[in-house]
Amino acid sequence: VDSDIICATTGGINPTCVPSFSDWGEDVDNVPNGMKELMHLDGWDCGLGFTALSITKEVIRMALGAADIEAENGSIIPRMELKDTDFADVWWVGDMSDGGLCAVRLINALSTDGLSLQTTDNGKGQLSVTLKGHVSIDAQDVVPMEFYVQEGTLE
C-alpha cells in the first residue's frame, strides 16, 4: 500500500545484521583460539540505514526516535523518555535482477543516531536515518531481523 511507504531515498538502503561472539576458551591454556565447541553467540546487531529525500513530519519523528507530533500545530517535539510506540517494525522490499523480490524486516526498530539533516546550495535536503532492531523482553530469543527472498524468472 502506498500509504505504508516511509519516504523516497537516495544512495541505497543499508541493512546490516552482524553477530557478536565470545570465545570461552581464549584464556584457557592449551586451547586453540576459535574452538567451535567453546564459541558463544552473544547477540545480533541489526539495523537499517538510509538517506531520506522526502522530509515529512513522520520521517523527522522517526529519525529523532523519542518524539511526538503535536496535533494542534504539527510540530515535532523530542522527549526525554521512550514509549513502547517509538518501536515499530520496518520493512524494506527491493527488486532482484532475476525479476524476484528481496525483503528485510527490522523488528522493533528505533532510531539510535538521532537527526542529521544536510542541505546544499540549490540542492535537495537529505536526512540520514539509522534504525536499530531491538529484542523484546517478551521474545528474548528472536533476532530482530528477518530476510525473505522470492525468486523470479526473467521472460
Side-chain angles (χ1 to χ4, degrees), residues 4-26:
D4 291 336
I5 296 173
I6 296 171
C7 61
T9 62
T10 186
I13 309 295
N14 185 23
T16 57
C17 192
V18 180
S20 60
F21 297 97
S22 294
D23 182 351
W24 288 351
E26 70 182 349

PDB file of all heavy atoms in Angstrom, residues 4-26:
ATOM      1  N   ASP A   4       1.965   3.038   3.160  1.00  0.00           N
ATOM      2  CA  ASP A   4       2.956   2.404   4.036  1.00  0.00           C
ATOM      3  C   ASP A   4       4.387   2.774   3.673  1.00  0.00           C
ATOM      4  O   ASP A   4       5.319   2.432   4.389  1.00  0.00           O
ATOM      5  CB  ASP A   4       2.813   0.881   3.996  1.00  0.00           C
ATOM      6  CG  ASP A   4       1.537   0.397   4.653  1.00  0.00           C
ATOM      7  OD1 ASP A   4       0.999   1.132   5.516  1.00  0.00           O
ATOM      8  OD2 ASP A   4       1.074  -0.696   4.318  1.00  0.00           O
ATOM      9  N   ILE A   5       4.583   3.460   2.550  1.00  0.00           N
ATOM     10  CA  ILE A   5       5.927   3.858   2.125  1.00  0.00           C
ATOM     11  C   ILE A   5       6.386   5.013   3.010  1.00  0.00           C
ATOM     12  O   ILE A   5       5.687   6.017   3.156  1.00  0.00           O
ATOM     13  CB  ILE A   5       5.941   4.252   0.638  1.00  0.00           C
ATOM     14  CG1 ILE A   5       5.594   3.027  -0.211  1.00  0.00           C
ATOM     15  CG2 ILE A   5       7.296   4.833   0.253  1.00  0.00           C
ATOM     16  CD1 ILE A   5       5.414   3.333  -1.684  1.00  0.00           C
ATOM     17  N   ILE A   6       7.555   4.864   3.608  1.00  0.00           N
ATOM     18  CA  ILE A   6       8.063   5.861   4.552  1.00  0.00           C
ATOM     19  C   ILE A   6       8.533   7.120   3.834  1.00  0.00           C
ATOM     20  O   ILE A   6       8.156   8.224   4.197  1.00  0.00           O
ATOM     21  CB  ILE A   6       9.192   5.265   5.408  1.00  0.00           C
ATOM     22  CG1 ILE A   6       8.654   4.135   6.277  1.00  0.00           C
ATOM     23  CG2 ILE A   6       9.849   6.335   6.262  1.00  0.00           C
ATOM     24  CD1 ILE A   6       9.720   3.339   6.995  1.00  0.00           C
ATOM     25  N   CYS A   7       9.395   6.948   2.814  1.00  0.00           N
ATOM     26  CA  CYS A   7       9.944   8.117   2.147  1.00  0.00           C
ATOM     27  C   CYS A   7      10.726   7.702   0.910  1.00  0.00           C
ATOM     28  O   CYS A   7      11.084   6.543   0.748  1.00  0.00           O
ATOM     29  CB  CYS A   7      10.867   8.885   3.097  1.00  0.00           C
ATOM     30  SG  CYS A   7      12.275   7.922   3.660  1.00  0.00           S
ATOM     31  N   ALA A   8      11.010   8.686   0.048  1.00  0.00           N
ATOM     32  CA  ALA A   8      11.931   8.495  -1.062  1.00  0.00           C
ATOM     33  C   ALA A   8      13.345   8.557  -0.493  1.00  0.00           C
ATOM     34  O   ALA A   8      13.615   9.307   0.445  1.00  0.00           O
ATOM     35  CB  ALA A   8      11.728   9.581  -2.109  1.00  0.00           C
ATOM     36  N   THR A   9      14.243   7.747  -1.055  1.00  0.00           N
ATOM     37  CA  THR A   9      15.612   7.709  -0.550  1.00  0.00           C
ATOM     38  C   THR A   9      16.604   7.953  -1.674  1.00  0.00           C
ATOM     39  O   THR A   9      16.258   7.901  -2.847  1.00  0.00           O
ATOM     40  CB  THR A   9      15.913   6.339   0.102  1.00  0.00           C
ATOM     41  OG1 THR A   9      15.784   5.304  -0.894  1.00  0.00           O
ATOM     42  CG2 THR A   9      14.978   6.056   1.263  1.00  0.00           C
ATOM     43  N   THR A  10      17.836   8.204  -1.292  1.00  0.00           N
ATOM     44  CA  THR A  10      18.934   8.330  -2.237  1.00  0.00           C
ATOM     45  C   THR A  10      20.138   7.567  -1.692  1.00  0.00           C
ATOM     46  O   THR A  10      20.290   7.447  -0.486  1.00  0.00           O
ATOM     47  CB  THR A  10      19.303   9.809  -2.483  1.00  0.00           C
ATOM     48  OG1 THR A  10      20.298   9.866  -3.516  1.00  0.00           O
ATOM     49  CG2 THR A  10      19.827  10.493  -1.243  1.00  0.00           C
ATOM     50  N   GLY A  11      20.948   7.019  -2.606  1.00  0.00           N
ATOM     51  CA  GLY A  11      22.164   6.342  -2.177  1.00  0.00           C
ATOM     52  C   GLY A  11      21.968   4.910  -1.726  1.00  0.00           C
ATOM     53  O   GLY A  11      22.899   4.277  -1.238  1.00  0.00           O
ATOM     54  N   GLY A  12      20.774   4.370  -1.862  1.00  0.00           N
ATOM     55  CA  GLY A  12      20.524   2.976  -1.497  1.00  0.00           C
ATOM     56  C   GLY A  12      20.124   2.799  -0.043  1.00  0.00           C
ATOM     57  O   GLY A  12      20.127   3.743   0.747  1.00  0.00           O
ATOM     58  N   ILE A  13      19.772   1.581   0.285  1.00  0.00           N
ATOM     59  CA  ILE A  13      19.369   1.185   1.634  1.00  0.00           C
ATOM     60  C   ILE A  13      20.463   0.264   2.164  1.00  0.00           C
ATOM     61  O   ILE A  13      20.988  -0.571   1.432  1.00  0.00           O
ATOM     62  CB  ILE A  13      18.016   0.436   1.602  1.00  0.00           C
ATOM     63  CG1 ILE A  13      16.963   1.216   0.832  1.00  0.00           C
ATOM     64  CG2 ILE A  13      17.558   0.100   3.011  1.00  0.00           C
ATOM     65  CD1 ILE A  13      16.565   2.535   1.438  1.00  0.00           C
ATOM     66  N   ASN A  14      20.803   0.386   3.432  1.00  0.00           N
ATOM     67  CA  ASN A  14      21.883  -0.413   4.003  1.00  0.00           C
ATOM     68  C   ASN A  14      21.388  -1.246   5.185  1.00  0.00           C
ATOM     69  O   ASN A  14      21.479  -0.809   6.327  1.00  0.00           O
ATOM     70  CB  ASN A  14      23.032   0.498   4.432  1.00  0.00           C
ATOM     71  CG  ASN A  14      24.221  -0.286   4.920  1.00  0.00           C
ATOM     72  OD1 ASN A  14      24.397  -1.445   4.572  1.00  0.00           O
ATOM     73  ND2 ASN A  14      25.029   0.339   5.749  1.00  0.00           N
ATOM     74  N   PRO A  15      20.856  -2.468   4.905  1.00  0.00           N
ATOM     75  CA  PRO A  15      20.516  -3.355   6.021  1.00  0.00           C
ATOM     76  C   PRO A  15      21.787  -4.052   6.525  1.00  0.00           C
ATOM     77  O   PRO A  15      22.641  -4.445   5.728  1.00  0.00           O
ATOM     78  CB  PRO A  15      19.556  -4.374   5.411  1.00  0.00           C
ATOM     79  CG  PRO A  15      19.504  -4.114   3.947  1.00  0.00           C
ATOM     80  CD  PRO A  15      20.424  -2.989   3.625  1.00  0.00           C
ATOM     81  N   THR A  16      21.908  -4.188   7.836  1.00  0.00           N
ATOM     82  CA  THR A  16      23.045  -4.895   8.427  1.00  0.00           C
ATOM     83  C   THR A  16      22.536  -5.833   9.519  1.00  0.00           C
ATOM     84  O   THR A  16      21.583  -5.514  10.228  1.00  0.00           O
ATOM     85  CB  THR A  16      24.070  -3.928   9.052  1.00  0.00           C
ATOM     86  OG1 THR A  16      23.415  -3.130  10.036  1.00  0.00           O
ATOM     87  CG2 THR A  16      24.689  -3.023   8.003  1.00  0.00           C
ATOM     88  N   CYS A  17      23.166  -6.990   9.620  1.00  0.00           N
ATOM     89  CA  CYS A  17      22.825  -7.967  10.658  1.00  0.00           C
ATOM     90  C   CYS A  17      24.132  -8.663  11.044  1.00  0.00           C
ATOM     91  O   CYS A  17      24.603  -9.555  10.336  1.00  0.00           O
ATOM     92  CB  CYS A  17      21.787  -8.952  10.130  1.00  0.00           C
ATOM     93  SG  CYS A  17      21.037  -9.993  11.405  1.00  0.00           S
ATOM     94  N   VAL A  18      24.744  -8.214  12.131  1.00  0.00           N
ATOM     95  CA  VAL A  18      26.097  -8.632  12.492  1.00  0.00           C
ATOM     96  C   VAL A  18      26.077  -9.352  13.843  1.00  0.00           C
ATOM     97  O   VAL A  18      25.635  -8.779  14.846  1.00  0.00           O
ATOM     98  CB  VAL A  18      27.038  -7.410  12.561  1.00  0.00           C
ATOM     99  CG1 VAL A  18      28.443  -7.836  12.927  1.00  0.00           C
ATOM    100  CG2 VAL A  18      27.021  -6.646  11.242  1.00  0.00           C
ATOM    101  N   PRO A  19      26.569 -10.599  13.880  1.00  0.00           N
ATOM    102  CA  PRO A  19      26.610 -11.315  15.157  1.00  0.00           C
ATOM    103  C   PRO A  19      27.800 -10.873  16.011  1.00  0.00           C
ATOM    104  O   PRO A  19      28.805 -10.395  15.488  1.00  0.00           O
ATOM    105  CB  PRO A  19      26.779 -12.776  14.732  1.00  0.00           C
ATOM    106  CG  PRO A  19      27.536 -12.688  13.438  1.00  0.00           C
ATOM    107  CD  PRO A  19      27.059 -11.416  12.778  1.00  0.00           C
ATOM    108  N   SER A  20      27.665 -11.027  17.324  1.00  0.00           N
ATOM    109  CA  SER A  20      28.813 -10.826  18.215  1.00  0.00           C
ATOM    110  C   SER A  20      29.041 -12.129  18.976  1.00  0.00           C
ATOM    111  O   SER A  20      28.087 -12.782  19.403  1.00  0.00           O
ATOM    112  CB  SER A  20      28.578  -9.659  19.176  1.00  0.00           C
ATOM    113  OG  SER A  20      27.452  -9.879  19.977  1.00  0.00           O
ATOM    114  N   PHE A  21      30.306 -12.498  19.098  1.00  0.00           N
ATOM    115  CA  PHE A  21      30.677 -13.778  19.687  1.00  0.00           C
ATOM    116  C   PHE A  21      31.630 -13.593  20.860  1.00  0.00           C
ATOM    117  O   PHE A  21      32.372 -12.614  20.918  1.00  0.00           O
ATOM    118  CB  PHE A  21      31.406 -14.658  18.647  1.00  0.00           C
ATOM    119  CG  PHE A  21      30.569 -15.033  17.466  1.00  0.00           C
ATOM    120  CD1 PHE A  21      30.640 -14.318  16.286  1.00  0.00           C
ATOM    121  CD2 PHE A  21      29.717 -16.126  17.526  1.00  0.00           C
ATOM    122  CE1 PHE A  21      29.884 -14.663  15.184  1.00  0.00           C
ATOM    123  CE2 PHE A  21      28.958 -16.487  16.434  1.00  0.00           C
ATOM    124  CZ  PHE A  21      29.043 -15.756  15.262  1.00  0.00           C
ATOM    125  N   SER A  22      31.621 -14.567  21.751  1.00  0.00           N
ATOM    126  CA  SER A  22      32.642 -14.698  22.792  1.00  0.00           C
ATOM    127  C   SER A  22      33.316 -16.040  22.605  1.00  0.00           C
ATOM    128  O   SER A  22      32.656 -17.036  22.306  1.00  0.00           O
ATOM    129  CB  SER A  22      32.013 -14.668  24.196  1.00  0.00           C
ATOM    130  OG  SER A  22      31.453 -13.426  24.479  1.00  0.00           O
ATOM    131  N   ASP A  23      34.642 -16.047  22.777  1.00  0.00           N
ATOM    132  CA  ASP A  23      35.404 -17.292  22.730  1.00  0.00           C
ATOM    133  C   ASP A  23      35.696 -17.681  24.172  1.00  0.00           C
ATOM    134  O   ASP A  23      36.576 -17.110  24.814  1.00  0.00           O
ATOM    135  CB  ASP A  23      36.692 -17.088  21.945  1.00  0.00           C
ATOM    136  CG  ASP A  23      37.523 -18.351  21.807  1.00  0.00           C
ATOM    137  OD1 ASP A  23      37.199 -19.367  22.460  1.00  0.00           O
ATOM    138  OD2 ASP A  23      38.496 -18.316  21.036  1.00  0.00           O
ATOM    139  N   TRP A  24      34.946 -18.631  24.692  1.00  0.00           N
ATOM    140  CA  TRP A  24      35.084 -19.019  26.094  1.00  0.00           C
ATOM    141  C   TRP A  24      36.398 -19.749  26.371  1.00  0.00           C
ATOM    142  O   TRP A  24      36.753 -19.964  27.525  1.00  0.00           O
ATOM    143  CB  TRP A  24      33.903 -19.880  26.522  1.00  0.00           C
ATOM    144  CG  TRP A  24      32.619 -19.087  26.649  1.00  0.00           C
ATOM    145  CD1 TRP A  24      32.476 -17.736  26.588  1.00  0.00           C
ATOM    146  CD2 TRP A  24      31.320 -19.609  26.859  1.00  0.00           C
ATOM    147  NE1 TRP A  24      31.161 -17.375  26.742  1.00  0.00           N
ATOM    148  CE2 TRP A  24      30.427 -18.516  26.917  1.00  0.00           C
ATOM    149  CE3 TRP A  24      30.807 -20.889  26.997  1.00  0.00           C
ATOM    150  CZ2 TRP A  24      29.061 -18.672  27.113  1.00  0.00           C
ATOM    151  CZ3 TRP A  24      29.443 -21.045  27.186  1.00  0.00           C
ATOM    152  CH2 TRP A  24      28.585 -19.939  27.248  1.00  0.00           C
ATOM    153  N   GLY A  25      37.133 -20.074  25.336  1.00  0.00           N
ATOM    154  CA  GLY A  25      38.413 -20.745  25.533  1.00  0.00           C
ATOM    155  C   GLY A  25      39.611 -19.852  25.293  1.00  0.00           C
ATOM    156  O   GLY A  25      40.749 -20.304  25.370  1.00  0.00           O
ATOM    157  N   GLU A  26      39.403 -18.548  25.056  1.00  0.00           N
ATOM    158  CA  GLU A  26      40.503 -17.676  24.668  1.00  0.00           C
ATOM    159  C   GLU A  26      41.576 -17.521  25.740  1.00  0.00           C
ATOM    160  O   GLU A  26      42.721 -17.259  25.434  1.00  0.00           O
ATOM    161  CB  GLU A  26      39.989 -16.308  24.227  1.00  0.00           C
ATOM    162  CG  GLU A  26      39.437 -15.455  25.354  1.00  0.00           C
ATOM    163  CD  GLU A  26      38.890 -14.127  24.856  1.00  0.00           C
ATOM    164  OE1 GLU A  26      39.122 -13.778  23.696  1.00  0.00           O
ATOM    165  OE2 GLU A  26      38.223 -13.444  25.637  1.00  0.00           O
TER     166      GLU A  26
END
